[in-house]
Amino acid sequence: MALGAILVTQGLLSDSQLETARIEQLRAGERLEQTLARLGIASNEQVLRALADELALPFVRLDETEIDEAAVRLVPPRLVFRLRMLPLRIENDRLLVATSDPLRLDSFDQLRVAAGMPIELLIAEDHDIGAQIRARYGVAGDVLEALEAADEHGTAQDSRAEGAEVDDASEASVVRLVNDLLFEAIRERATDIHIEPYEHELHVRYRIDGVMSNAGVPAAIHRFRHAITSRLKIMANLNIAEKRRPQDGRITLRHRPNGQKLQEYDLRLSVIPMLYGEGVVLRILAKDAVMVGLDELGFPPGLLKDWSALVARPHGIVLVTGPTGSGKSTTLYASLKQIVNGDVKAITVEDPVEYNVPGVNQIQVNHQVGLDFAAGLRAILRHDPDIIMIGEIRDGETANAAVQASLTGHLVLSTLHTNDAAGAATRLLDMGIEPFLVASTVEGVLAQRLLRRVCRACATLREPLPEEVQAGFTGGSDGLVAHAVGCRECRNSGYRGRIGCYELLLFDEDVRNEVMRRSSSSRICEAARAAGNFTSLRDSAATLVAARMTTAGEALSSVKIY
């Protein structure tokens, strides 16, 4: 009996829903249960439970199931990865095996022969099975097993000759190994991949929700570090023979993460020579992420109104500040999306251009030919723009060019690396901009952080600690704050996703006077607070803690207290 017919028999689907799902399945080229989940007709768990009832098989959650490592070792990793079936334990001289597709009868014969004993099926979600396989065999464990076997038969993985490296990097196993590392990072919502060579090991780590996490690759990956680096260079059209200088490139990757629609990803590759090889970092950018609007960034209603009015002004400088990875570029892109229309011309100078924005002319910085932020900004002014976005104000020359552009009637959006909003004024003064120019051109500064959002599946409540109470993170009306526990949904971190924490400093008369006097950032904050229209990062974080969207510990570690 086919899966669709079983689901109709079980009452989970109607005939018309099945017909709709079948048409969409053929169009998308995916499994039926993936289509049903994507269309919102039935979740994977509902499908599998209905299937389990029809076949009289138990449905299990693998994080709540006993798994015997001796049983796991009975089956070769290559077979486990290929069949997506996980040996669990031996009971009554039978091997209990978890599968998400019990209708693949040919697969069970292969597994029975490999294990040398009868098998008994249990049904589990494919996501759970994949996570358990990666936890026990490592990411791409089957590929590494095949590579090790080839290496023992004479494959020269450590060859330094360019021709040999091209051959190694082009081998099907190496291509799949690199793809598995990239796809796993996307599956885990990573923003960066770090490949770090050491004398006797190769570390592969993902940055997830701003925190570094071990990718869980087998130790044998160290033997193929040169082939991995060469493969990534080939994908980015870089020179694989150059190992003495840093190189930068980009890779375009198409992937369907977790059964969703096909997406295109832009990977920014940076390769730097290190003591024991070349270190590699890839920044993962989803090309459709730019489509978020300002109302989707988590701005409080009052702050959203003020910021929208700020970026709609005809001229002046509007800045977004914060550390690397705090979402500054995303905020600027969302702002551009809101204000750019057919009546205005917008040009950007970026290093690098992170996303392609419809209706915006974007310029890529190229230091090799002398096109830096300052040079690009000077050239932009001859193209009659209304709105200018500069990727970052890094030096006095760029700052001065931005000031001159705003004085001649342009709206200038840019980012700056400071700890808080008030620090932007003192930073511009340190760059050599005269106080009266800063006071007359800067209209407002938004400081932001990204705090990890507490996982709703496992969060509990607790009393705040004394240091959290002292910082003002006292929780909701009952005085309790969220506590991150950890579960399978959040990779046992207690957090899943991130939420913005914002501080907006509007340059009113009092703030401008403090800038003219070259006052400290704390004095500027006091003047803004006295005017009654300033909310600090700490106040914003305290609101998120009280709403139990994040934890007091996360807020305390991420936001400066002043």
Side-chain angles (χ1 to χ4, degrees), residues 279-349:
V280 178
V281 174
L282 296 105
R283 168 65 60 89
I284 304 174
L285 302 170
K287 289 196 173 182
D288 62 348
V290 70
M291 301 310 293
V292 299
L294 282 176
D295 56 343
E296 301 173 68
L297 296 181
F299 282 115
L303 190 146
L304 176 60
K305 179 181 177 182
D306 290 341
W307 178 254
S308 298
L310 200 58
V311 297
R313 295 190 181 186
H315 56 78
I317 297 177
V318 178
L319 299 172
V320 181
T321 74
T324 300
S326 60
K328 301 186 296 296
S329 296
T330 300
T331 298
L332 286 182
Y333 280 124
S335 302
L336 280 177
K337 178 188 174 186
Q338 176 166 304
I339 62 179
V340 170
N341 53 51
D343 299 331
V344 298
K345 178 169 183 175
I347 306 180
T348 72
V349 186

Side-chain angles (χ1 to χ4, degrees), residues 142-412:
D142 57 332
V143 182
L144 283 170
E145 183 187 48
L147 280 171
E148 283 190 280
D151 193 39
E152 290 171 0
H153 288 84
T155 301
Q157 293 291 348
D158 285 328
S159 173
R160 296 298 189 272
E162 180 180 352
E165 288 195 1
V166 172
D167 291 340
D168 288 348
S170 300
E171 283 187 6
S173 294
V174 174
V175 171
R176 187 181 162 199
L177 171 60
V178 171
N179 286 345
D180 282 353
L181 292 175
L182 299 180
F183 294 155
E184 175 70 8
I186 292 173
R187 187 184 299 113
E188 295 291 347
R189 304 177 297 105
T191 55
D192 301 86
I193 304 173
H194 293 249
I195 301 176
E196 304 160 335
Y198 295 92
E199 185 175 7
H200 300 298
E201 55 188 346
L202 184 72
H203 288 181
V204 180
R205 299 192 291 170
Y206 300 147
R207 186 178 295 279
I208 303 172
D209 293 335
V211 179
M212 297 292 282
S213 174
N214 196 312
V217 295
I221 198 171
H222 176 258
R223 298 168 60 180
F224 312 102
R225 61 193 184 281
H226 300 301
I228 292 171
T229 304
S230 296
R231 173 59 189 166
L232 290 170
K233 286 183 177 181
I234 290 172
M235 294 173 71
N237 294 317
L238 300 181
N239 181 4
I240 70 168
E242 179 57 73
K243 301 180 183 295
R244 301 167 300 171
R245 296 179 180 177
Q247 295 188 72
D248 295 320
R250 60 192 299 173
I251 300 168
T252 298
L253 190 68
R254 302 183 74 192
H255 181 52
R256 192 189 304 276
N258 300 326
Q260 302 171 13
K261 66 177 183 179
L262 189 66
Q263 295 185 36
E264 194 166 286
Y265 295 87
D266 193 12
L267 309 182
R268 301 302 168 84
L269 174 68
S270 175
V271 183
I272 299 180
M274 295 185 176
L275 185 60
Y276 295 107
E278 292 177 288
V280 178
V281 174
L282 296 105
R283 168 65 60 89
I284 304 174
L285 302 170
K287 289 196 173 182
D288 62 348
V290 70
M291 301 310 293
V292 299
L294 282 176
D295 56 343
E296 301 173 68
L297 296 181
F299 282 115
L303 190 146
L304 176 60
K305 179 181 177 182
D306 290 341
W307 178 254
S308 298
L310 200 58
V311 297
R313 295 190 181 186
H315 56 78
I317 297 177
V318 178
L319 299 172
V320 181
T321 74
T324 300
S326 60
K328 301 186 296 296
S329 296
T330 300
T331 298
L332 286 182
Y333 280 124
S335 302
L336 280 177
K337 178 188 174 186
Q338 176 166 304
I339 62 179
V340 170
N341 53 51
D343 299 331
V344 298
K345 178 169 183 175
I347 306 180
T348 72
V349 186
E350 305 171 63
D351 183 23
V353 175
E354 294 190 5
Y355 301 106
N356 297 322
V357 185
V360 177
N361 300 273
Q362 296 174 273
I363 300 172
Q364 169 72 55
V365 165
N366 188 341
H367 295 285
Q368 294 180 346
V369 298
L371 180 58
D372 56 14
F373 284 118
L377 185 50
R378 288 193 298 269
I380 279 177
L381 295 177
R382 294 190 286 273
H383 274 245
D384 188 31
D386 298 292
I387 302 168
I388 299 169
M389 188 184 96
I390 311 169
E392 182 184 348
I393 296 179
R394 297 178 178 173
D395 49 45
E397 185 181 8
T398 307
N400 186 63
V403 167
Q404 297 304 317
S406 68
L407 289 173
T408 53
H410 302 88
L411 176 66
V412 180

Side-chain angles (χ1 to χ4, degrees), residues 437-451:
L437 289 175
V438 176
S440 60
T441 58
V442 178
E443 299 293 336
V445 183
L446 178 75
Q448 67 181 65
R449 299 288 188 277
L450 290 178
L451 305 185

Side-chain angles (χ1 to χ4, degrees), residues 8 22 30 48 54 64 104 106 143 160 183 231 282 289 306 360 378 395 404 416 447 476 497 524 527 529 545:
V8 171
R22 285 291 191 199
E30 59 191 5
L48 291 175
E54 179 69 21
E64 302 171 356
R104 292 175 56 189
D106 59 324
V143 182
R160 296 298 189 272
F183 294 155
R231 173 59 189 166
L282 296 105
D306 290 341
V360 177
R378 288 193 298 269
D395 49 45
Q404 297 304 317
L416 201 62
I524 293 174
R529 197 185 297 274
V545 171

